[in-house]
Amino acid sequence: QVQLVESGGGLVQAGGSLRLSCAASGRMFSISAMAWYRQAPGMERELVATISISTNGEARYADSVKGRFTISRDNAKNTLHLQMNSLKPEDTAMYYCAASKGPSGYSVAAWGQGTQVTVSS
C-alpha cells in the first residue's frame, strides 16, 4: 500500500509561482510513474503531468501547462515535485499527487489528500 502526502499549495497572484511537493511511502515496487492531477469545482479531475520513476525519468504534460509547469522526482527520497510558473487564474484547482501502476499515469493505485492552489487575477 502506498501513502501520499502533498504540501505547498496556497494563494498566489497571476504570473506568480508555486512549488508542490508529495512525499510517498509504503510499497512502491509496483509503481511505474508518479503524476499530478487537478480538479476545479464542477470539473472532472484532469491529468496535469506524469513522470516515469525508471532511470530515464520521462515527463509528459497536459497541453494547458506545457512550458509553465515542471514535474520532477527524487527516487531516493520518494519525493515528487511540481514547479508551477506563470500561473493563471484557470490553474485554480485542488491538486492531487498520484502513484500509477502504468506509465501513462492513468492506472492510479493511490491518491494523496490534495492541496489547494488558488490563483487570483
Side-chain angles (χ1 to χ4, degrees):
Q1 191 173 358
V2 176
Q3 294 82 41
L4 304 171
V5 179
E6 302 98 333
S7 60
L11 172 64
V12 64
Q13 288 188 335
S17 299
L18 280 175
R19 186 176 190 240
L20 306 183
S21 296
C22 173
S25 61
R27 307 177 72 173
M28 297 287 291
F29 62 87
S30 65
I31 303 303
S32 297
M34 298 294 292
W36 288 99
Y37 283 75
R38 68 185 181 187
Q39 187 169 21
M43 304 293 286
E44 292 188 356
R45 193 170 294 191
E46 67 167 332
L47 180 60
V48 174
T50 62
I51 188 165
S52 169
I53 63 171
S54 65
T55 54
N56 67 6
E58 179 183 6
R60 298 180 180 180
Y61 300 91
D63 288 343
S64 58
V65 306
K66 277 181 183 176
R68 300 188 298 119
F69 290 12
T70 302
I71 189 171
S72 61
R73 88 284 192 259
D74 184 336
N75 285 352
K77 295 181 179 180
N78 278 345
T79 304
L80 180 72
H81 301 286
L82 185 68
Q83 178 66 42
M84 304 185 294
N85 299 328
S86 301
L87 282 160
K88 305 175 181 180
E90 52 263 44
D91 293 319
T92 295
M94 186 72 80
Y95 283 71
Y96 297 91
C97 174
S100 174
K101 291 186 176 181
S104 67
Y106 288 107
S107 301
V108 177
W111 294 99
Q113 83 285 357
T115 185
Q116 178 67 38
V117 171
T118 303
V119 184
S120 62
S121 57

